Amino acid sequence: MQALRVVRERWIIVLVAALICGGVAGLVARSQPKEYSATSQLLFRASPLSNAVLGTQVISGSIDPARDSATNQDLVRSLEVATAVEKSLNLGIPPSKLLDKISVQSAANSDIITITAKDSNPKRAARVANGFATGYVTFAQQQDQNRISQGEQLLRQRLASLPPGSSETPSLQAALQKLIALEAVQTGNAQIADRASVPTGPSSPRPLRDAVLGTLFGLALGVGLAFLLDGLDRRVKTPEEFERLYGLRSLVNIPQASFRARTPQTRGPAFEPYRILRSSIAFSAVDREVRMLLVTSSVLGEGKTTVAVNLARAAALSGEQVVLVEGDLRRPSFHEHFPIEQGVGGLTNAVIGGGSAREFIQYDVLGIPNLGVLPSGPLPPSSAEILRSASMGVVLRDLAETAELVIIDAPPLLPVADAQILLDRPEVDSCLIVARAYFTKRDQVRRTRAVLDQHRAAPLGLAVTGLRDTHTYEYYGSSSRGELIPGASDGRRSGLLRRRREAKART
């Protein structure tokens, strides 16, 4: 799966490498001069004529066939054979250069040696291949005949040294006659098995073959580059890697489509991840009450505000009384998500003014009656002091009494101290960490994990955003009737609305 992910993400690199290598290999092949190959074959076999003449094999090979084959190949490529070929063909090529034109091979468990000659002229390639085959047979015959001739000379010398009428004379004369007969039938134990014909087409270059091989090499090179770049990339790319680095469970994986839409339609698949997140939070909070949830991230741009907003919508649509608090007093952005009224005050007014936070909550901003939004209000000169003050604790406790779930959209943990201050407040029950795939770096995750370990509120889990995988949520239900508070009965809706009216009346 990891390999498929790397190739799928960096397929352009793999494709470009394959195209470049294949194209270059094809162009280089086309630019090369044409070369023709011609092949002749030699068969190595003991001649039966020796047995016919002497009744025994005079010249025999060694007991190691592989060694014999290697020796014969070396002899075919010997300078003496090449010199003889040059003299017979009269090509005007030095014997050492002529050897560069041939290759000699022997198949396993075979007495046949193949001689392949390559040349830019097809007729000359055939002449060279046949010349070496003929030249070696002649060379081998001469070698054997020379050895037999030496034996003849020794016999003649012996006969000349014997006195007339010696008893050895008849036997030596008979042996001499046999050697003379053997010399006449000597073949060198090699014969031409197949003569080379003039090739009809070039053996090289082969642009199509080279282009295919170049493409395969490019594919391998591209895959290697893809893995190299993936290893050098410090960004976290998968929910599994986030879970391993954070030591937390991923409560939901939010694909790119749902992440791009800041306020997706509640009846479409883009909103389903946020419903799943709400259910996961409810399941994770079975053993501990989570009335006030802090939503934060490592750095800016991971989508914490988008997750906080849509989580609040999903919780409200499930029937809960929800208040969403803009706790980012440095870069507030609720106005990009909600049609909230400007200039009516917000969190900072309640903290500094000492009044009730309920009077600054704005309802029905997205047509969801049980969702209240508390904007940040005027930006203070020192947000950290505001969040650390005792008045902030009073505001948070007031909000906890107003709603069943309070969601605080906090600043990122690493750039500023604001979110870390909120994590130490006793009113905050837990936090949700938003992590963006292909954006957050590994060292940032490690630093964030170290920060979380130093503060009171334990993280509930992760919400991984911006996934490039094709996560789809096509299987979802819809109703032809309007959805005011889906999942809640009429009686529960009435009770929730009544509690909201009573809370307003107390203010």
Side-chain angles (χ1 to χ4, degrees), residues 398-411:
D398 188 23
L399 293 173
E401 295 176 358
T402 303
E404 297 174 271
L405 177 64
V406 178
I407 300 175
I408 304 175
D409 175 34

Side-chain angles (χ1 to χ4, degrees), residues 33-54:
K34 291 183 179 180
E35 194 170 52
Y36 297 84
S37 296
T39 301
S40 62
Q41 291 184 329
L42 290 174
L43 173 61
F44 289 84
R45 180 179 297 171
S47 175
L49 297 176
S50 297
N51 289 329
V53 175
L54 297 180

Side-chain angles (χ1 to χ4, degrees), residues 342-363:
Q342 301 294 329
V344 297
L347 178 62
T348 54
N349 299 93
V351 175
I352 297 174
S356 174
R358 302 178 189 181
E359 60 183 280
F360 299 105
I361 299 176
Q362 300 183 32
Y363 288 94

Side-chain angles (χ1 to χ4, degrees), residues 138-205:
T138 302
F139 169 78
Q141 287 176 350
Q142 291 176 350
Q143 292 294 315
D144 289 351
Q145 288 172 356
N146 289 338
R147 283 182 287 178
I148 296 174
S149 178
Q150 291 174 1
E152 291 179 18
Q153 293 178 4
L154 292 175
L155 286 176
R156 292 181 189 277
Q157 293 174 1
R158 178 59 178 168
L159 285 171
S161 65
L162 292 175
S166 174
S167 60
E168 295 182 21
T169 301
S171 61
L172 290 178
Q173 287 179 342
L176 179 59
Q177 294 300 320
K178 289 183 179 181
L179 285 180
I180 293 173
L182 182 62
E183 183 181 3
V185 298
Q186 197 58 229
T187 64
N189 292 343
Q191 65 186 69
I192 298 176
D194 188 18
R195 299 188 65 84
S197 59
V198 178
T200 57
S203 59
S204 66

